[in-house]
PDB file of all heavy atoms in Angstrom:
ATOM      1  N   ALA A  76      -0.482  14.557  13.100  1.00 85.00           N
ATOM      2  CA  ALA A  76       0.838  13.937  13.026  1.00 85.00           C
ATOM      3  C   ALA A  76       0.773  12.526  12.456  1.00 85.00           C
ATOM      4  O   ALA A  76       1.703  12.084  11.779  1.00 85.00           O
ATOM      5  CB  ALA A  76       1.486  13.926  14.397  1.00 85.00           C
ATOM      6  N   PHE A  77      -0.321  11.821  12.698  1.00 83.00           N
ATOM      7  CA  PHE A  77      -0.430  10.439  12.225  1.00 83.00           C
ATOM      8  C   PHE A  77      -0.389  10.392  10.695  1.00 83.00           C
ATOM      9  O   PHE A  77       0.383   9.623  10.108  1.00 83.00           O
ATOM     10  CB  PHE A  77      -1.709   9.794  12.750  1.00 83.00           C
ATOM     11  CG  PHE A  77      -1.891   8.382  12.284  1.00 83.00           C
ATOM     12  CD1 PHE A  77      -1.070   7.373  12.751  1.00 83.00           C
ATOM     13  CD2 PHE A  77      -2.874   8.063  11.356  1.00 83.00           C
ATOM     14  CE1 PHE A  77      -1.221   6.065  12.319  1.00 83.00           C
ATOM     15  CE2 PHE A  77      -3.033   6.757  10.917  1.00 83.00           C
ATOM     16  CZ  PHE A  77      -2.203   5.758  11.403  1.00 83.00           C
ATOM     17  N   LEU A  78      -1.201  11.209  10.031  1.00 83.00           N
ATOM     18  CA  LEU A  78      -1.210  11.220   8.573  1.00 83.00           C
ATOM     19  C   LEU A  78       0.120  11.716   8.015  1.00 83.00           C
ATOM     20  O   LEU A  78       0.578  11.237   6.979  1.00 83.00           O
ATOM     21  CB  LEU A  78      -2.362  12.073   8.044  1.00 83.00           C
ATOM     22  CG  LEU A  78      -3.760  11.511   8.258  1.00 83.00           C
ATOM     23  CD1 LEU A  78      -4.809  12.472   7.729  1.00 83.00           C
ATOM     24  CD2 LEU A  78      -3.915  10.153   7.602  1.00 83.00           C
ATOM     25  N   GLU A  79       0.745  12.638   8.708  1.00 87.00           N
ATOM     26  CA  GLU A  79       2.055  13.139   8.282  1.00 87.00           C
ATOM     27  C   GLU A  79       3.112  12.038   8.344  1.00 87.00           C
ATOM     28  O   GLU A  79       3.936  11.900   7.440  1.00 87.00           O
ATOM     29  CB  GLU A  79       2.467  14.325   9.149  1.00 87.00           C
ATOM     30  CG  GLU A  79       3.728  15.008   8.674  1.00 87.00           C
ATOM     31  CD  GLU A  79       4.048  16.234   9.504  1.00 87.00           C
ATOM     32  OE1 GLU A  79       3.129  17.037   9.764  1.00 87.00           O
ATOM     33  OE2 GLU A  79       5.216  16.375   9.899  1.00 87.00           O
ATOM     34  N   ARG A  80       3.077  11.241   9.416  1.00 87.00           N
ATOM     35  CA  ARG A  80       4.028  10.121   9.545  1.00 87.00           C
ATOM     36  C   ARG A  80       3.821   9.101   8.429  1.00 87.00           C
ATOM     37  O   ARG A  80       4.786   8.563   7.881  1.00 87.00           O
ATOM     38  CB  ARG A  80       3.897   9.459  10.912  1.00 87.00           C
ATOM     39  CG  ARG A  80       4.451  10.277  12.050  1.00 87.00           C
ATOM     40  CD  ARG A  80       4.636   9.490  13.341  1.00 87.00           C
ATOM     41  NE  ARG A  80       3.567   8.589  13.670  1.00 87.00           N
ATOM     42  CZ  ARG A  80       2.561   8.855  14.516  1.00 87.00           C
ATOM     43  NH1 ARG A  80       2.498  10.038  15.110  1.00 87.00           N
ATOM     44  NH2 ARG A  80       1.644   7.975  14.778  1.00 87.00           N
ATOM     45  N   LEU A  81       2.568   8.844   8.083  1.00 84.00           N
ATOM     46  CA  LEU A  81       2.299   7.921   6.975  1.00 84.00           C
ATOM     47  C   LEU A  81       2.796   8.496   5.656  1.00 84.00           C
ATOM     48  O   LEU A  81       3.384   7.786   4.834  1.00 84.00           O
ATOM     49  CB  LEU A  81       0.797   7.618   6.879  1.00 84.00           C
ATOM     50  CG  LEU A  81       0.207   6.735   7.976  1.00 84.00           C
ATOM     51  CD1 LEU A  81      -1.301   6.643   7.807  1.00 84.00           C
ATOM     52  CD2 LEU A  81       0.841   5.352   7.971  1.00 84.00           C
ATOM     53  N   ALA A  82       2.564   9.782   5.430  1.00 86.00           N
ATOM     54  CA  ALA A  82       2.982  10.429   4.182  1.00 86.00           C
ATOM     55  C   ALA A  82       4.493  10.351   3.991  1.00 86.00           C
ATOM     56  O   ALA A  82       4.978  10.139   2.873  1.00 86.00           O
ATOM     57  CB  ALA A  82       2.512  11.873   4.153  1.00 86.00           C
ATOM     58  N   VAL A  83       5.245  10.500   5.068  1.00 91.00           N
ATOM     59  CA  VAL A  83       6.703  10.393   4.999  1.00 91.00           C
ATOM     60  C   VAL A  83       7.117   9.005   4.503  1.00 91.00           C
ATOM     61  O   VAL A  83       8.114   8.849   3.806  1.00 91.00           O
ATOM     62  CB  VAL A  83       7.334  10.707   6.373  1.00 91.00           C
ATOM     63  CG1 VAL A  83       8.801  10.328   6.422  1.00 91.00           C
ATOM     64  CG2 VAL A  83       7.138  12.173   6.716  1.00 91.00           C
ATOM     65  N   GLN A  84       6.317   7.998   4.834  1.00 88.00           N
ATOM     66  CA  GLN A  84       6.588   6.624   4.398  1.00 88.00           C
ATOM     67  C   GLN A  84       6.017   6.323   3.009  1.00 88.00           C
ATOM     68  O   GLN A  84       6.102   5.197   2.534  1.00 88.00           O
ATOM     69  CB  GLN A  84       6.010   5.634   5.413  1.00 88.00           C
ATOM     70  CG  GLN A  84       6.600   5.764   6.800  1.00 88.00           C
ATOM     71  CD  GLN A  84       8.100   5.525   6.815  1.00 88.00           C
ATOM     72  OE1 GLN A  84       8.599   4.608   6.179  1.00 88.00           O
ATOM     73  NE2 GLN A  84       8.826   6.375   7.513  1.00 88.00           N
ATOM     74  N   GLY A  85       5.397   7.322   2.378  1.00 84.00           N
ATOM     75  CA  GLY A  85       4.838   7.131   1.041  1.00 84.00           C
ATOM     76  C   GLY A  85       3.412   6.608   1.036  1.00 84.00           C
ATOM     77  O   GLY A  85       2.922   6.154   0.003  1.00 84.00           O
ATOM     78  N   VAL A  86       2.737   6.651   2.186  1.00 83.00           N
ATOM     79  CA  VAL A  86       1.365   6.157   2.284  1.00 83.00           C
ATOM     80  C   VAL A  86       0.408   7.344   2.284  1.00 83.00           C
ATOM     81  O   VAL A  86       0.548   8.261   3.095  1.00 83.00           O
ATOM     82  CB  VAL A  86       1.160   5.323   3.579  1.00 83.00           C
ATOM     83  CG1 VAL A  86      -0.290   4.894   3.724  1.00 83.00           C
ATOM     84  CG2 VAL A  86       2.087   4.123   3.570  1.00 83.00           C
ATOM     85  N   LYS A  87      -0.536   7.316   1.366  1.00 84.00           N
ATOM     86  CA  LYS A  87      -1.542   8.367   1.299  1.00 84.00           C
ATOM     87  C   LYS A  87      -2.886   7.781   1.725  1.00 84.00           C
ATOM     88  O   LYS A  87      -3.293   6.734   1.235  1.00 84.00           O
ATOM     89  CB  LYS A  87      -1.648   8.900  -0.125  1.00 84.00           C
ATOM     90  CG  LYS A  87      -2.642  10.018  -0.260  1.00 84.00           C
ATOM     91  CD  LYS A  87      -2.668  10.563  -1.676  1.00 84.00           C
ATOM     92  CE  LYS A  87      -3.663  11.698  -1.772  1.00 84.00           C
ATOM     93  NZ  LYS A  87      -3.695  12.251  -3.126  1.00 84.00           N
ATOM     94  N   VAL A  88      -3.555   8.460   2.644  1.00 84.00           N
ATOM     95  CA  VAL A  88      -4.866   8.024   3.120  1.00 84.00           C
ATOM     96  C   VAL A  88      -5.891   9.023   2.582  1.00 84.00           C
ATOM     97  O   VAL A  88      -5.815  10.215   2.881  1.00 84.00           O
ATOM     98  CB  VAL A  88      -4.926   7.961   4.665  1.00 84.00           C
ATOM     99  CG1 VAL A  88      -6.295   7.488   5.120  1.00 84.00           C
ATOM    100  CG2 VAL A  88      -3.828   7.054   5.205  1.00 84.00           C
ATOM    101  N   SER A  89      -6.815   8.525   1.793  1.00 84.00           N
ATOM    102  CA  SER A  89      -7.839   9.375   1.190  1.00 84.00           C
ATOM    103  C   SER A  89      -9.201   9.010   1.730  1.00 84.00           C
ATOM    104  O   SER A  89      -9.430   7.888   2.178  1.00 84.00           O
ATOM    105  CB  SER A  89      -7.847   9.194  -0.328  1.00 84.00           C
ATOM    106  OG  SER A  89      -6.606   9.542  -0.868  1.00 84.00           O
ATOM    107  N   ARG A  90     -10.116   9.953   1.643  1.00 85.00           N
ATOM    108  CA  ARG A  90     -11.482   9.692   2.103  1.00 85.00           C
ATOM    109  C   ARG A  90     -12.419   9.629   0.899  1.00 85.00           C
ATOM    110  O   ARG A  90     -12.243  10.339  -0.076  1.00 85.00           O
ATOM    111  CB  ARG A  90     -11.927  10.764   3.094  1.00 85.00           C
ATOM    112  CG  ARG A  90     -11.991  12.144   2.516  1.00 85.00           C
ATOM    113  CD  ARG A  90     -12.248  13.175   3.619  1.00 85.00           C
ATOM    114  NE  ARG A  90     -12.449  14.490   3.077  1.00 85.00           N
ATOM    115  CZ  ARG A  90     -11.499  15.339   2.734  1.00 85.00           C
ATOM    116  NH1 ARG A  90     -10.240  14.982   2.878  1.00 85.00           N
ATOM    117  NH2 ARG A  90     -11.787  16.523   2.258  1.00 85.00           N
ATOM    118  N   THR A  91     -13.398   8.757   1.006  1.00 84.00           N
ATOM    119  CA  THR A  91     -14.401   8.608  -0.042  1.00 84.00           C
ATOM    120  C   THR A  91     -15.649   7.977   0.551  1.00 84.00           C
ATOM    121  O   THR A  91     -15.561   7.155   1.453  1.00 84.00           O
ATOM    122  CB  THR A  91     -13.891   7.747  -1.213  1.00 84.00           C
ATOM    123  OG1 THR A  91     -14.925   7.639  -2.191  1.00 84.00           O
ATOM    124  CG2 THR A  91     -13.490   6.351  -0.751  1.00 84.00           C
ATOM    125  N   ARG A  92     -16.776   8.339   0.023  1.00 85.00           N
ATOM    126  CA  ARG A  92     -18.032   7.733   0.458  1.00 85.00           C
ATOM    127  C   ARG A  92     -18.364   6.492  -0.384  1.00 85.00           C
ATOM    128  O   ARG A  92     -19.431   5.923  -0.260  1.00 85.00           O
ATOM    129  CB  ARG A  92     -19.162   8.755   0.370  1.00 85.00           C
ATOM    130  CG  ARG A  92     -19.110   9.780   1.477  1.00 85.00           C
ATOM    131  CD  ARG A  92     -20.275  10.731   1.423  1.00 85.00           C
ATOM    132  NE  ARG A  92     -20.518  11.572   2.565  1.00 85.00           N
ATOM    133  CZ  ARG A  92     -19.662  12.249   3.293  1.00 85.00           C
ATOM    134  NH1 ARG A  92     -18.397  12.156   3.040  1.00 85.00           N
ATOM    135  NH2 ARG A  92     -20.022  13.013   4.287  1.00 85.00           N
ATOM    136  N   MET A  93     -17.419   6.061  -1.216  1.00 84.00           N
ATOM    137  CA  MET A  93     -17.647   4.883  -2.055  1.00 84.00           C
ATOM    138  C   MET A  93     -17.430   3.583  -1.296  1.00 84.00           C
ATOM    139  O   MET A  93     -17.661   2.507  -1.828  1.00 84.00           O
ATOM    140  CB  MET A  93     -16.763   4.929  -3.307  1.00 84.00           C
ATOM    141  CG  MET A  93     -17.179   6.022  -4.269  1.00 84.00           C
ATOM    142  SD  MET A  93     -16.296   5.972  -5.845  1.00 84.00           S
ATOM    143  CE  MET A  93     -14.763   6.770  -5.385  1.00 84.00           C
ATOM    144  N   VAL A  94     -16.930   3.667  -0.060  1.00 89.00           N
ATOM    145  CA  VAL A  94     -16.819   2.487   0.803  1.00 89.00           C
ATOM    146  C   VAL A  94     -17.636   2.756   2.058  1.00 89.00           C
ATOM    147  O   VAL A  94     -17.764   3.903   2.488  1.00 89.00           O
ATOM    148  CB  VAL A  94     -15.354   2.152   1.169  1.00 89.00           C
ATOM    149  CG1 VAL A  94     -14.546   1.775  -0.045  1.00 89.00           C
ATOM    150  CG2 VAL A  94     -14.700   3.293   1.918  1.00 89.00           C
ATOM    151  N   PRO A  95     -18.212   1.730   2.648  1.00 91.00           N
ATOM    152  CA  PRO A  95     -19.014   1.942   3.856  1.00 91.00           C
ATOM    153  C   PRO A  95     -18.141   2.297   5.060  1.00 91.00           C
ATOM    154  O   PRO A  95     -16.957   1.941   5.104  1.00 91.00           O
ATOM    155  CB  PRO A  95     -19.721   0.596   4.063  1.00 91.00           C
ATOM    156  CG  PRO A  95     -18.964  -0.392   3.269  1.00 91.00           C
ATOM    157  CD  PRO A  95     -18.239   0.342   2.188  1.00 91.00           C
ATOM    158  N   PRO A  96     -18.721   2.996   6.039  1.00 93.00           N
ATOM    159  CA  PRO A  96     -17.971   3.278   7.269  1.00 93.00           C
ATOM    160  C   PRO A  96     -17.450   1.981   7.890  1.00 93.00           C
ATOM    161  O   PRO A  96     -18.103   0.942   7.821  1.00 93.00           O
ATOM    162  CB  PRO A  96     -19.010   3.939   8.182  1.00 93.00           C
ATOM    163  CG  PRO A  96     -20.047   4.484   7.264  1.00 93.00           C
ATOM    164  CD  PRO A  96     -20.088   3.539   6.093  1.00 93.00           C
ATOM    165  N   GLY A  97     -16.266   2.066   8.470  1.00 92.00           N
ATOM    166  CA  GLY A  97     -15.681   0.893   9.117  1.00 92.00           C
ATOM    167  C   GLY A  97     -14.868   0.019   8.184  1.00 92.00           C
ATOM    168  O   GLY A  97     -14.391  -1.028   8.590  1.00 92.00           O
ATOM    169  N   THR A  98     -14.692   0.452   6.928  1.00 91.00           N
ATOM    170  CA  THR A  98     -13.890  -0.316   5.977  1.00 91.00           C
ATOM    171  C   THR A  98     -12.904   0.612   5.276  1.00 91.00           C
ATOM    172  O   THR A  98     -13.053   1.829   5.291  1.00 91.00           O
ATOM    173  CB  THR A  98     -14.755  -1.011   4.906  1.00 91.00           C
ATOM    174  OG1 THR A  98     -15.436  -0.014   4.143  1.00 91.00           O
ATOM    175  CG2 THR A  98     -15.745  -1.962   5.523  1.00 91.00           C
ATOM    176  N   ALA A  99     -11.906   0.010   4.666  1.00 90.00           N
ATOM    177  CA  ALA A  99     -10.931   0.762   3.877  1.00 90.00           C
ATOM    178  C   ALA A  99     -10.537  -0.076   2.672  1.00 90.00           C
ATOM    179  O   ALA A  99     -10.382  -1.302   2.783  1.00 90.00           O
ATOM    180  CB  ALA A  99      -9.697   1.092   4.701  1.00 90.00           C
ATOM    181  N   LEU A 100     -10.401   0.565   1.542  1.00 88.00           N
ATOM    182  CA  LEU A 100      -9.876  -0.088   0.343  1.00 88.00           C
ATOM    183  C   LEU A 100      -8.385   0.204   0.319  1.00 88.00           C
ATOM    184  O   LEU A 100      -7.968   1.364   0.229  1.00 88.00           O
ATOM    185  CB  LEU A 100     -10.553   0.463  -0.915  1.00 88.00           C
ATOM    186  CG  LEU A 100     -10.131  -0.181  -2.227  1.00 88.00           C
ATOM    187  CD1 LEU A 100     -10.484  -1.665  -2.239  1.00 88.00           C
ATOM    188  CD2 LEU A 100     -10.776   0.541  -3.391  1.00 88.00           C
ATOM    189  N   VAL A 101      -7.581  -0.854   0.438  1.00 87.00           N
ATOM    190  CA  VAL A 101      -6.133  -0.721   0.548  1.00 87.00           C
ATOM    191  C   VAL A 101      -5.502  -1.257  -0.719  1.00 87.00           C
ATOM    192  O   VAL A 101      -5.871  -2.330  -1.200  1.00 87.00           O
ATOM    193  CB  VAL A 101      -5.612  -1.504   1.783  1.00 87.00           C
ATOM    194  CG1 VAL A 101      -4.109  -1.365   1.909  1.00 87.00           C
ATOM    195  CG2 VAL A 101      -6.315  -1.050   3.044  1.00 87.00           C
ATOM    196  N   GLY A 102      -4.566  -0.495  -1.277  1.00 85.00           N
ATOM    197  CA  GLY A 102      -3.897  -0.983  -2.469  1.00 85.00           C
ATOM    198  C   GLY A 102      -2.917   0.021  -3.033  1.00 85.00           C
ATOM    199  O   GLY A 102      -2.769   1.134  -2.540  1.00 85.00           O
ATOM    200  N   ASP A 103      -2.261  -0.398  -4.094  1.00 83.00           N
ATOM    201  CA  ASP A 103      -1.302   0.448  -4.792  1.00 83.00           C
ATOM    202  C   ASP A 103      -2.021   1.114  -5.960  1.00 83.00           C
ATOM    203  O   ASP A 103      -2.050   0.605  -7.073  1.00 83.00           O
ATOM    204  CB  ASP A 103      -0.128  -0.394  -5.282  1.00 83.00           C
ATOM    205  CG  ASP A 103       0.972   0.447  -5.899  1.00 83.00           C
ATOM    206  OD1 ASP A 103       0.728   1.641  -6.169  1.00 83.00           O
ATOM    207  OD2 ASP A 103       2.061  -0.086  -6.128  1.00 83.00           O
ATOM    208  N   PHE A 104      -2.650   2.248  -5.680  1.00 77.00           N
ATOM    209  CA  PHE A 104      -3.438   2.927  -6.697  1.00 77.00           C
ATOM    210  C   PHE A 104      -2.569   3.431  -7.847  1.00 77.00           C
ATOM    211  O   PHE A 104      -3.004   3.468  -8.986  1.00 77.00           O
ATOM    212  CB  PHE A 104      -4.217   4.093  -6.077  1.00 77.00           C
ATOM    213  CG  PHE A 104      -5.432   3.641  -5.317  1.00 77.00           C
ATOM    214  CD1 PHE A 104      -5.324   3.212  -4.009  1.00 77.00           C
ATOM    215  CD2 PHE A 104      -6.672   3.631  -5.920  1.00 77.00           C
ATOM    216  CE1 PHE A 104      -6.440   2.790  -3.309  1.00 77.00           C
ATOM    217  CE2 PHE A 104      -7.796   3.200  -5.226  1.00 77.00           C
ATOM    218  CZ  PHE A 104      -7.671   2.778  -3.916  1.00 77.00           C
ATOM    219  N   THR A 105      -1.331   3.812  -7.567  1.00 78.00           N
ATOM    220  CA  THR A 105      -0.450   4.321  -8.616  1.00 78.00           C
ATOM    221  C   THR A 105      -0.197   3.255  -9.682  1.00 78.00           C
ATOM    222  O   THR A 105      -0.202   3.538 -10.871  1.00 78.00           O
ATOM    223  CB  THR A 105       0.887   4.788  -8.011  1.00 78.00           C
ATOM    224  OG1 THR A 105       0.615   5.768  -7.018  1.00 78.00           O
ATOM    225  CG2 THR A 105       1.782   5.384  -9.063  1.00 78.00           C
ATOM    226  N   ALA A 106       0.005   2.015  -9.263  1.00 83.00           N
ATOM    227  CA  ALA A 106       0.306   0.938 -10.203  1.00 83.00           C
ATOM    228  C   ALA A 106      -0.939   0.277 -10.770  1.00 83.00           C
ATOM    229  O   ALA A 106      -0.924  -0.207 -11.897  1.00 83.00           O
ATOM    230  CB  ALA A 106       1.164  -0.121  -9.511  1.00 83.00           C
ATOM    231  N   ALA A 107      -2.016   0.262 -10.019  1.00 84.00           N
ATOM    232  CA  ALA A 107      -3.142  -0.602 -10.379  1.00 84.00           C
ATOM    233  C   ALA A 107      -4.388   0.121 -10.867  1.00 84.00           C
ATOM    234  O   ALA A 107      -5.329  -0.527 -11.318  1.00 84.00           O
ATOM    235  CB  ALA A 107      -3.513  -1.476  -9.182  1.00 84.00           C
ATOM    236  N   ALA A 108      -4.426   1.449 -10.796  1.00 83.00           N
ATOM    237  CA  ALA A 108      -5.644   2.155 -11.186  1.00 83.00           C
ATOM    238  C   ALA A 108      -5.313   3.537 -11.734  1.00 83.00           C
ATOM    239  O   ALA A 108      -4.256   4.096 -11.446  1.00 83.00           O
ATOM    240  CB  ALA A 108      -6.585   2.283  -9.998  1.00 83.00           C
ATOM    241  N   THR A 109      -6.235   4.071 -12.514  1.00 86.00           N
ATOM    242  CA  THR A 109      -6.102   5.410 -13.061  1.00 86.00           C
ATOM    243  C   THR A 109      -7.385   6.180 -12.772  1.00 86.00           C
ATOM    244  O   THR A 109      -8.478   5.684 -13.056  1.00 86.00           O
ATOM    245  CB  THR A 109      -5.870   5.367 -14.587  1.00 86.00           C
ATOM    246  OG1 THR A 109      -4.714   4.576 -14.853  1.00 86.00           O
ATOM    247  CG2 THR A 109      -5.689   6.760 -15.152  1.00 86.00           C
ATOM    248  N   LEU A 110      -7.248   7.373 -12.222  1.00 80.00           N
ATOM    249  CA  LEU A 110      -8.396   8.236 -11.996  1.00 80.00           C
ATOM    250  C   LEU A 110      -8.711   8.958 -13.306  1.00 80.00           C
ATOM    251  O   LEU A 110      -7.842   9.591 -13.892  1.00 80.00           O
ATOM    252  CB  LEU A 110      -8.109   9.248 -10.891  1.00 80.00           C
ATOM    253  CG  LEU A 110      -9.249  10.200 -10.544  1.00 80.00           C
ATOM    254  CD1 LEU A 110     -10.457   9.426 -10.011  1.00 80.00           C
ATOM    255  CD2 LEU A 110      -8.791  11.233  -9.535  1.00 80.00           C
ATOM    256  N   LEU A 111      -9.942   8.830 -13.754  1.00 84.00           N
ATOM    257  CA  LEU A 111     -10.376   9.466 -14.991  1.00 84.00           C
ATOM    258  C   LEU A 111     -11.169  10.719 -14.626  1.00 84.00           C
ATOM    259  O   LEU A 111     -12.365  10.664 -14.378  1.00 84.00           O
ATOM    260  CB  LEU A 111     -11.231   8.489 -15.808  1.00 84.00           C
ATOM    261  CG  LEU A 111     -10.573   7.133 -16.086  1.00 84.00           C
ATOM    262  CD1 LEU A 111     -11.569   6.166 -16.685  1.00 84.00           C
ATOM    263  CD2 LEU A 111      -9.377   7.313 -17.004  1.00 84.00           C
ATOM    264  N   ASP A 112     -10.490  11.823 -14.576  1.00 81.00           N
ATOM    265  CA  ASP A 112     -11.094  13.094 -14.181  1.00 81.00           C
ATOM    266  C   ASP A 112     -11.475  13.852 -15.443  1.00 81.00           C
ATOM    267  O   ASP A 112     -10.619  14.254 -16.225  1.00 81.00           O
ATOM    268  CB  ASP A 112     -10.103  13.898 -13.354  1.00 81.00           C
ATOM    269  CG  ASP A 112     -10.679  15.195 -12.819  1.00 81.00           C
ATOM    270  OD1 ASP A 112     -11.848  15.518 -13.122  1.00 81.00           O
ATOM    271  OD2 ASP A 112      -9.960  15.886 -12.084  1.00 81.00           O
ATOM    272  N   ARG A 113     -12.771  14.073 -15.647  1.00 81.00           N
ATOM    273  CA  ARG A 113     -13.241  14.791 -16.842  1.00 81.00           C
ATOM    274  C   ARG A 113     -12.985  16.279 -16.740  1.00 81.00           C
ATOM    275  O   ARG A 113     -13.211  17.013 -17.692  1.00 81.00           O
ATOM    276  CB  ARG A 113     -14.725  14.528 -17.048  1.00 81.00           C
ATOM    277  CG  ARG A 113     -15.006  13.088 -17.432  1.00 81.00           C
ATOM    278  CD  ARG A 113     -16.442  12.843 -17.713  1.00 81.00           C
ATOM    279  NE  ARG A 113     -16.930  13.736 -18.758  1.00 81.00           N
ATOM    280  CZ  ARG A 113     -18.189  13.779 -19.172  1.00 81.00           C
ATOM    281  NH1 ARG A 113     -19.074  12.982 -18.634  1.00 81.00           N
ATOM    282  NH2 ARG A 113     -18.563  14.604 -20.100  1.00 81.00           N
ATOM    283  N   ARG A 114     -12.527  16.724 -15.582  1.00 82.00           N
ATOM    284  CA  ARG A 114     -12.244  18.137 -15.356  1.00 82.00           C
ATOM    285  C   ARG A 114     -13.448  19.014 -15.679  1.00 82.00           C
ATOM    286  O   ARG A 114     -13.329  20.091 -16.240  1.00 82.00           O
ATOM    287  CB  ARG A 114     -11.019  18.592 -16.143  1.00 82.00           C
ATOM    288  CG  ARG A 114      -9.757  17.879 -15.730  1.00 82.00           C
ATOM    289  CD  ARG A 114      -8.539  18.497 -16.384  1.00 82.00           C
ATOM    290  NE  ARG A 114      -7.355  17.744 -16.087  1.00 82.00           N
ATOM    291  CZ  ARG A 114      -6.579  17.956 -15.042  1.00 82.00           C
ATOM    292  NH1 ARG A 114      -6.881  18.887 -14.192  1.00 82.00           N
ATOM    293  NH2 ARG A 114      -5.513  17.228 -14.836  1.00 82.00           N
TER     294      ARG A 114
END
C-alpha cells in the first residue's frame, strides 16, 4: 500500500544496485535524465 500511495501522488520508487544500501538518489528523472536502453 505504501508504494501504491506514492504512485497515486506521481512518485515512483525504483530499485538499483548503483547506490549503496541506506541511501537513495532523489530527483526528477523525467525532466533531468534520459535512460539509454540499447534494447
Side-chain angles (χ1 to χ4, degrees):
F77 179 70
L78 290 178
E79 187 176 314
R80 287 194 318 263
L81 288 175
V83 168
Q84 299 300 317
V86 176
K87 182 177 181 179
V88 181
S89 300
R90 63 188 186 277
T91 180
R92 285 183 167 43
M93 291 187 280
V94 296
T98 62
L100 182 62
V101 180
D103 186 347
F104 283 83
T105 303
T109 303
L110 181 63
L111 306 170
D112 184 357
R113 292 183 57 183
R114 298 188 185 271

